[in-house]
Amino acid sequence: MSDNPSDTPRLDLKHLTRRFGGRVAVDDVSLSIAAGQVTCLLGPSGCGKSTTLRMVAGVEQVDAGEIYVDGRLICDTRKSIPAEDRQIGLMFQDFALFPHLRVSENVGFGLTGDAYARMARVRDLLARVGMERFEAAYPHELSGGEQQRVALARALAPRPGVMLMDEPFSGLDNRLRDGIRDDTLDILRSEDTAVLLVTHEPEEAMRISDRIALMRDGSIVQEGTPEELYNQPVDAATVAFFSDINRVSGTVKKGILDTVFGPLPASTLADGTKVCAVMRQHDVRITVKGAAATVERCRFLGTATHVKARLEATGDAITLNQPGHIPIGPGEKVHLSVDPQDCFIFPE
Ligand code: ATP
């Protein structure tokens, strides 16, 4: 169980900012993570994810803001507890095991206390990551996935309250990745560790996170559960980050946006507001009735058919991904529809 008072976040970032030269790499980032919770920092390359993680790890200067662990200030612009004294575990893509130490010695490396207790902790962790048989092996005798499991055991050994992970699974091949990823997160949750994990892959973030903080240009644009980000996105770029999309432009009249797919409710927007309706490609369907269009391209992808068609009414291209095999080809006339519930409307 956690020794953390229930309302105090295990990791609390307040207004973190980092500049390089005149450029702001991390801009006023605030984020709280509870014990046993996994939060992903998600965003495109260069948006400031790793710099945020590095500030928390204590290897990057903080230009403004504060970092707290269990309510204790560990860093602001005047004070910075050294990285090794922060009791924060690190697991990065290029995790390096000590090549001259056996697996058990690698895992026990940072442990203090009596030898019996240290060995018990090492054995317990190796069992939990399924590596007890390899206790006496050297790192070069292990596969990439096995080394990853030992690195996790080593990072967990001193019972850090917080674990920072930067693209930790990207070095593994796809076959290994899903299993190791799920096992790793299960172990971290069971140890009551607050996890801040960096990834640029939306699917990975959806799969492993309790909460996602989506970053763009140094700032967090939306933070919430995976369902909140997917179902209540704050802007079109957020929808587009998780799925391929179509956009249809228009103007709000009497609380309605009239589109080729029919009227869409827009009651929260003032009359005359120029907006775009955003719909995911997999939410558009070829149906018996709907907006008339001509197929320009059609590819069967195995589980779905990918179709590009041009709307007769507006000349706009619409792309869709419909499950199964649709036996159509270029030049054919189709009708397209989309459920109004699957459309998001944002001011242009
Ligand atoms: P990626 O997914 O590619 O690793 P990221 O989101 O982690 O990207 P950061 O590594 O945090 O991005 O970098 C954010 C911005 O800060 C980038 O524009 C980067 O070039 C810049 N930056 C990072 N470190 C430094 C540095 N030491 N000196 C100057 N600029 C830096």
Side-chain angles (χ1 to χ4, degrees):
M1 285 293 287
S2 168
D3 56 1
N4 190 17
S6 57
D7 291 341
T8 308
R10 182 132 274 180
L11 177 65
D12 206 4
L13 316 183
K14 293 192 174 168
H15 309 291
L16 273 192
T17 299
R18 177 69 175 128
R19 300 180 197 90
F20 294 113
R23 232 185 121 250
V24 185
V26 175
D27 192 4
D28 196 21
V29 161
S30 296
L31 195 61
S32 298
I33 308 180
Q37 190 179 64
V38 177
T39 293
C40 271
L41 273 183
L42 173 69
S45 186
C47 71
K49 308 181 295 293
S50 297
T51 305
T52 303
L53 215 67
R54 288 165 56 78
M55 285 192 278
V56 181
V59 295
E60 186 72 71
Q61 186 191 317
V62 169
D63 290 328
E66 293 137 37
I67 303 168
Y68 296 84
V69 173
D70 286 333
R72 184 173 69 113
L73 179 69
I74 61 162
C75 182
D76 64 9
T77 48
R78 285 158 300 169
K79 155 183 175 172
S80 179
I81 292 178
E84 59 277 17
D85 297 332
R86 290 190 180 193
Q87 291 167 331
I88 289 178
L90 308 176
M91 218 180 135
F92 292 165
Q93 184 187 343
D94 54 353
F95 60 90
L97 297 175
F98 301 116
H100 58 289
L101 296 185
R102 294 177 190 276
V103 161
S104 58
E105 293 164 335
N106 261 285
V107 176
F109 185 79
L111 290 181
T112 52
D114 74 83
Y116 184 79
R118 285 202 314 266
M119 202 56 219
R121 176 72 174 154
V122 168
R123 292 216 162 113
D124 173 49
L125 281 167
L126 284 178
R128 298 186 66 187
V129 298
M131 288 296 290
E132 62 271 58
R133 284 182 301 124
F134 297 90
E135 191 179 297
Y138 286 96
H140 73 267
E141 296 170 309
L142 306 178
S143 72
E146 289 162 351
Q147 289 184 35
Q148 186 96 355
R149 289 174 189 270
V150 176
L152 173 67
R154 187 178 67 177
L156 281 171
R159 300 181 202 275
V162 174
M163 180 74 82
L164 305 177
M165 309 176 92
D166 197 344
E167 309 260 4
F169 309 112
S170 55
L172 300 173
D173 70 50
N174 289 345
R175 206 170 38 81
L176 277 177
R177 187 148 61 160
D178 289 350
I180 291 185
R181 191 160 53 182
D182 292 347
D183 292 351
T184 300
L185 273 299
D186 286 349
I187 292 170
L188 287 164
R189 285 194 176 99
S190 72
E191 291 263 318
D192 242 348
T193 314
V195 180
L196 182 58
L197 188 149
V198 158
T199 180
H200 63 273
E201 289 181 33
E203 272 183 36
E204 176 164 88
M206 297 284 288
R207 184 175 175 125
I208 62 183
S209 309
D210 298 305
R211 299 184 73 80
I212 295 175
L214 182 66
M215 285 189 81
R216 200 181 301 144
D217 298 332
S219 302
I220 293 179
V221 289
Q222 187 168 4
E223 195 264 337
T225 64
E227 291 81 6
E228 282 166 350
L229 268 80
Y230 197 78
N231 295 326
Q232 297 152 48
V234 291
D235 56 22
T238 300
V239 189
F241 197 76
F242 287 93
S243 327
D244 292 324
I245 61 167
N246 293 288
R247 293 165 193 258
V248 173
S249 298
T251 304
V252 175
K253 283 185 199 127
K254 295 186 181 158
I256 298 285
L257 175 68
D258 235 333
T259 74
V260 289
F261 298 113
L264 300 175
S267 55
T268 56
L269 295 162
D271 265 18
T273 309
K274 296 224 176 299
V275 295
C276 76
V278 173
M279 51 211 74
R280 298 185 172 106
Q281 292 186 1
H282 61 250
D283 287 329
V284 183
R285 287 278 177 272
I286 294 177
T287 44
V288 179
K289 285 186 190 164
T294 305
V295 174
E296 292 189 344
R297 198 173 56 221
C298 186
R299 291 268 184 282
F300 177 53
L301 304 176
T303 54
T305 305
H306 184 76
V307 178
K308 182 182 170 199
R310 199 156 294 278
L311 292 167
E312 284 179 9
T314 61
D316 289 334
I318 295 288
T319 308
L320 62 113
N321 255 320
Q322 187 154 326
H325 181 219
I326 308 173
I328 50 169
E332 283 189 54
K333 304 282 183 202
V334 290
H335 292 93
L336 307 180
S337 60
V338 56
D339 189 328
Q341 286 189 340
D342 294 328
C343 297
F344 302 98
I345 297 179
F346 302 107
E348 286 275 24

Short mmCIF file of all heavy atoms in Angstrom, two decimals, residues 18 20-21 23-26 43-52 54 60 166-167 198-200 215, ligand 1:
data_model
loop_
_atom_site.label_atom_id
_atom_site.label_comp_id
_atom_site.label_asym_id
_atom_site.label_seq_id
_atom_site.Cartn_x
_atom_site.Cartn_y
_atom_site.Cartn_z
N ARG A 18 11.41 25.62 -19.65
CA ARG A 18 12.82 25.51 -20.02
C ARG A 18 13.04 26.19 -21.35
O ARG A 18 12.30 25.97 -22.32
CB ARG A 18 13.21 24.02 -20.13
CG ARG A 18 14.64 23.78 -20.56
CD ARG A 18 15.64 24.19 -19.49
NE ARG A 18 17.01 23.85 -19.85
CZ ARG A 18 18.01 24.72 -19.83
NH1 ARG A 18 17.81 25.99 -19.48
NH2 ARG A 18 19.23 24.33 -20.14
N PHE A 20 15.92 27.27 -24.43
CA PHE A 20 17.25 27.07 -25.02
C PHE A 20 17.50 28.27 -25.92
O PHE A 20 16.79 28.44 -26.92
CB PHE A 20 17.32 25.78 -25.82
CG PHE A 20 17.18 24.54 -24.97
CD1 PHE A 20 16.06 23.72 -25.10
CD2 PHE A 20 18.15 24.19 -24.05
CE1 PHE A 20 15.94 22.58 -24.32
CE2 PHE A 20 18.03 23.05 -23.26
CZ PHE A 20 16.92 22.25 -23.40
N GLY A 21 18.48 29.12 -25.56
CA GLY A 21 18.67 30.37 -26.29
C GLY A 21 17.39 31.17 -26.14
O GLY A 21 16.85 31.31 -25.06
N ARG A 23 14.53 30.28 -27.46
CA ARG A 23 13.38 29.41 -27.77
C ARG A 23 12.88 28.69 -26.52
O ARG A 23 13.66 28.18 -25.74
CB ARG A 23 13.83 28.36 -28.79
CG ARG A 23 12.90 28.32 -29.98
CD ARG A 23 13.25 27.22 -30.95
NE ARG A 23 12.11 26.34 -31.10
CZ ARG A 23 12.06 25.12 -30.65
NH1 ARG A 23 13.07 24.59 -30.02
NH2 ARG A 23 10.99 24.40 -30.82
N VAL A 24 11.54 28.69 -26.36
CA VAL A 24 10.96 27.98 -25.22
C VAL A 24 10.71 26.54 -25.64
O VAL A 24 9.92 26.27 -26.54
CB VAL A 24 9.63 28.63 -24.79
CG1 VAL A 24 9.10 27.95 -23.52
CG2 VAL A 24 9.82 30.11 -24.53
N ALA A 25 11.39 25.59 -24.99
CA ALA A 25 11.23 24.16 -25.32
C ALA A 25 10.11 23.54 -24.49
O ALA A 25 9.38 22.68 -24.97
CB ALA A 25 12.53 23.41 -25.09
N VAL A 26 9.99 24.00 -23.24
CA VAL A 26 8.90 23.55 -22.36
C VAL A 26 8.28 24.80 -21.75
O VAL A 26 8.98 25.63 -21.18
CB VAL A 26 9.43 22.59 -21.26
CG1 VAL A 26 8.32 22.24 -20.28
CG2 VAL A 26 10.01 21.33 -21.88
N GLY A 43 3.23 13.31 -27.81
CA GLY A 43 3.31 14.44 -28.73
C GLY A 43 4.32 14.18 -29.82
O GLY A 43 5.12 13.24 -29.73
N PRO A 44 4.30 15.02 -30.87
CA PRO A 44 5.22 14.82 -31.98
C PRO A 44 6.66 15.12 -31.60
O PRO A 44 6.91 15.74 -30.55
CB PRO A 44 4.71 15.81 -33.04
CG PRO A 44 4.00 16.86 -32.27
CD PRO A 44 3.44 16.20 -31.04
N SER A 45 7.58 14.71 -32.45
CA SER A 45 9.00 14.95 -32.20
C SER A 45 9.27 16.44 -31.99
O SER A 45 8.76 17.27 -32.72
CB SER A 45 9.77 14.43 -33.42
OG SER A 45 11.13 14.52 -33.17
N GLY A 46 10.06 16.75 -30.96
CA GLY A 46 10.48 18.12 -30.71
C GLY A 46 9.50 18.96 -29.90
O GLY A 46 9.72 20.15 -29.70
N CYS A 47 8.42 18.35 -29.38
CA CYS A 47 7.41 19.16 -28.66
C CYS A 47 7.80 19.40 -27.20
O CYS A 47 7.10 20.15 -26.51
CB CYS A 47 6.03 18.51 -28.75
SG CYS A 47 5.88 17.00 -27.78
N GLY A 48 8.87 18.78 -26.73
CA GLY A 48 9.34 19.08 -25.37
C GLY A 48 9.15 17.95 -24.36
O GLY A 48 9.36 18.16 -23.16
N LYS A 49 8.79 16.76 -24.82
CA LYS A 49 8.52 15.64 -23.90
C LYS A 49 9.78 15.26 -23.11
O LYS A 49 9.76 15.19 -21.89
CB LYS A 49 8.04 14.41 -24.69
CG LYS A 49 6.88 14.66 -25.63
CD LYS A 49 6.45 13.40 -26.34
CE LYS A 49 7.48 12.81 -27.29
NZ LYS A 49 7.78 13.61 -28.48
N SER A 50 10.87 15.00 -23.84
CA SER A 50 12.09 14.52 -23.16
C SER A 50 12.67 15.60 -22.25
O SER A 50 13.20 15.29 -21.18
CB SER A 50 13.14 14.09 -24.19
OG SER A 50 12.65 13.01 -24.93
N THR A 51 12.58 16.85 -22.68
CA THR A 51 13.12 17.93 -21.84
C THR A 51 12.35 17.99 -20.52
O THR A 51 12.95 18.18 -19.45
CB THR A 51 13.04 19.28 -22.60
OG1 THR A 51 13.71 19.13 -23.85
CG2 THR A 51 13.67 20.40 -21.81
N THR A 52 11.03 17.79 -20.57
CA THR A 52 10.23 17.77 -19.34
C THR A 52 10.71 16.63 -18.43
O THR A 52 10.95 16.83 -17.23
CB THR A 52 8.73 17.56 -19.69
OG1 THR A 52 8.33 18.59 -20.59
CG2 THR A 52 7.86 17.58 -18.45
N ARG A 54 13.56 15.13 -18.43
CA ARG A 54 14.94 15.35 -17.97
C ARG A 54 14.98 16.34 -16.82
O ARG A 54 15.81 16.24 -15.92
CB ARG A 54 15.80 15.84 -19.15
CG ARG A 54 16.09 14.73 -20.17
CD ARG A 54 16.62 15.30 -21.48
NE ARG A 54 17.80 16.11 -21.29
CZ ARG A 54 19.02 15.62 -21.09
NH1 ARG A 54 19.21 14.33 -21.10
NH2 ARG A 54 20.04 16.44 -20.91
N GLU A 60 18.45 18.24 -16.24
CA GLU A 60 18.20 19.42 -17.08
C GLU A 60 17.81 20.56 -16.15
O GLU A 60 17.02 20.37 -15.22
CB GLU A 60 17.06 19.12 -18.06
CG GLU A 60 16.80 20.19 -19.09
CD GLU A 60 17.88 20.25 -20.16
OE1 GLU A 60 17.95 19.33 -20.98
OE2 GLU A 60 18.64 21.24 -20.14
N ASP A 166 11.45 6.97 -20.89
CA ASP A 166 11.49 7.69 -22.16
C ASP A 166 11.54 6.69 -23.30
O ASP A 166 12.57 6.05 -23.52
CB ASP A 166 12.71 8.62 -22.20
CG ASP A 166 12.58 9.67 -23.29
OD1 ASP A 166 11.72 9.50 -24.19
OD2 ASP A 166 13.33 10.65 -23.26
N GLU A 167 10.42 6.52 -24.01
CA GLU A 167 10.31 5.57 -25.12
C GLU A 167 10.95 4.23 -24.74
O GLU A 167 11.79 3.70 -25.49
CB GLU A 167 10.99 6.14 -26.37
CG GLU A 167 10.55 7.54 -26.74
CD GLU A 167 9.53 7.58 -27.86
OE1 GLU A 167 9.08 6.52 -28.31
OE2 GLU A 167 9.16 8.70 -28.25
N VAL A 198 7.21 8.82 -21.65
CA VAL A 198 7.22 9.61 -22.88
C VAL A 198 7.03 8.69 -24.08
O VAL A 198 7.69 7.65 -24.18
CB VAL A 198 8.57 10.35 -23.01
CG1 VAL A 198 8.84 10.73 -24.46
CG2 VAL A 198 8.57 11.60 -22.15
N THR A 199 6.12 9.06 -24.96
CA THR A 199 5.99 8.34 -26.22
C THR A 199 5.47 9.30 -27.30
O THR A 199 4.83 10.30 -26.98
CB THR A 199 5.05 7.11 -26.10
OG1 THR A 199 4.98 6.45 -27.36
CG2 THR A 199 3.65 7.49 -25.67
N HIS A 200 5.78 8.98 -28.56
CA HIS A 200 5.17 9.77 -29.64
C HIS A 200 4.12 8.94 -30.36
O HIS A 200 3.57 9.37 -31.36
CB HIS A 200 6.26 10.28 -30.61
CG HIS A 200 6.98 9.18 -31.31
ND1 HIS A 200 8.09 8.56 -30.77
CD2 HIS A 200 6.74 8.57 -32.48
CE1 HIS A 200 8.48 7.62 -31.60
NE2 HIS A 200 7.68 7.59 -32.64
N MET A 215 1.13 16.99 -25.70
CA MET A 215 1.96 18.21 -25.80
C MET A 215 2.07 18.67 -27.24
O MET A 215 2.07 17.86 -28.17
CB MET A 215 3.39 17.93 -25.29
CG MET A 215 3.49 17.84 -23.78
SD MET A 215 5.22 17.76 -23.23
CE MET A 215 5.68 19.50 -23.29
P1 ATP B 1 11.58 13.54 -29.59
O1 ATP B 1 10.28 12.78 -29.56
O2 ATP B 1 12.12 13.72 -30.98
O3 ATP B 1 12.60 13.00 -28.63
P2 ATP B 1 10.80 15.62 -27.72
O4 ATP B 1 9.35 15.95 -27.73
O5 ATP B 1 11.29 14.74 -26.63
O6 ATP B 1 11.24 15.05 -29.14
P3 ATP B 1 12.77 17.48 -26.76
O7 ATP B 1 13.95 16.55 -26.90
O8 ATP B 1 12.29 17.75 -25.40
O9 ATP B 1 11.57 17.01 -27.70
O10 ATP B 1 13.18 18.86 -27.46
C1 ATP B 1 12.31 19.99 -27.45
C2 ATP B 1 12.97 21.12 -28.21
O11 ATP B 1 14.10 21.59 -27.48
C3 ATP B 1 13.49 20.71 -29.58
O12 ATP B 1 13.27 21.76 -30.48
C4 ATP B 1 14.98 20.50 -29.35
O13 ATP B 1 15.70 20.74 -30.52
C5 ATP B 1 15.27 21.51 -28.27
N1 ATP B 1 16.38 21.08 -27.39
C6 ATP B 1 16.39 19.99 -26.60
N2 ATP B 1 17.54 19.90 -25.92
C7 ATP B 1 18.31 20.97 -26.30
C8 ATP B 1 19.61 21.46 -25.96
N3 ATP B 1 20.37 20.83 -25.06
N4 ATP B 1 20.02 22.59 -26.56
C9 ATP B 1 19.25 23.25 -27.45
N5 ATP B 1 18.02 22.85 -27.81
C10 ATP B 1 17.55 21.74 -27.25
#
